[in-house]
Amino acid sequence: MDDTEEFSALLAGIQRLIRRRLRSGLEHPPLRGAQVELLRLVQDTPGLRVSDAAEELFLAGNSVSTLVNQLAGQGLLRRETDPADRRAALLYTTEEAARRLADWRARRTALVGEVLAELPADQQAALTRAMPALRTVAAGLRTRANDRRVAP
């Protein structure tokens, strides 16, 4: 396995392991990854339209509509009619969604913090130094996803 393949596999594996670990012991049914992504996006961008959420998440509009219906049914999202376009809905997270997202973030931070604290100091420093490169990789992947979205 070359470095690029190992890097990709490690990122995916780390994310999967974090999700699995955090799902144990939840007091409510776990949310799927796409549901969490939508909630985070709406929390960060209150009043977002479904079409804008679909574009930002690189999902089909009907897929996001399905997610919105699921999350609204669970009391985690609310829709309001867009006063500028009565056919469109604006999305907002509920207090319950904010509480669950905050709990998830706190648990994730604690879990990853525990594992990182077990690393030798030189490896901790190496990860800290790698953060700018990881941000650049993320930005590059987002740019490529955006380029594909507007390509004919």
Side-chain angles (χ1 to χ4, degrees):
M1 177 182 306
D2 71 1
D3 288 346
T4 303
E5 175 60 25
E6 184 176 9
F7 177 75
S8 298
L10 281 170
L11 288 179
I14 288 168
Q15 181 62 26
R16 186 175 50 254
L17 289 167
I18 290 171
R19 274 195 316 267
R20 283 183 185 161
R21 177 67 176 102
L22 293 181
R23 283 183 177 160
S24 66
L26 287 177
E27 60 192 49
H28 40 70
L31 297 172
R32 293 190 337 266
Q35 292 173 319
V36 173
E37 284 185 60
L38 178 58
L39 284 175
R40 284 182 186 151
L41 177 62
V42 172
Q43 186 176 51
D44 293 343
T45 318
L48 189 69
R49 288 176 165 213
V50 172
S51 58
D52 294 332
E55 187 174 319
E56 181 66 27
L57 296 172
F58 303 100
L59 296 172
N62 62 340
S63 296
V64 174
S65 292
T66 298
L67 293 171
V68 167
N69 289 335
Q70 293 167 349
L71 293 167
Q74 294 177 49
L76 300 174
L77 262 187
R78 64 183 170 80
R79 293 174 276 222
E80 292 183 9
T81 302
D82 184 347
D85 180 356
R86 311 274 314 150
R87 298 169 295 164
L90 304 177
L91 303 175
Y92 299 90
T93 54
T94 64
E95 287 183 25
E96 174 64 13
R99 186 191 66 72
R100 285 177 65 173
L101 286 172
D103 177 61
W104 182 270
R105 284 183 178 125
R107 293 175 68 224
R108 182 184 61 199
T109 299
L111 173 64
V112 173
E114 287 173 20
V115 173
L116 294 179
E118 295 170 1
L119 294 175
D122 63 324
Q123 290 182 359
Q124 290 179 20
L127 286 174
T128 299
R129 286 190 308 274
M131 294 298 273
L134 291 171
R135 285 188 203 101
T136 301
V137 168
L141 292 169
R142 176 163 287 287
T143 297
R144 281 164 180 75
N146 285 332
D147 289 348
R148 232 177 284 143
R149 182 175 24 200
V150 295

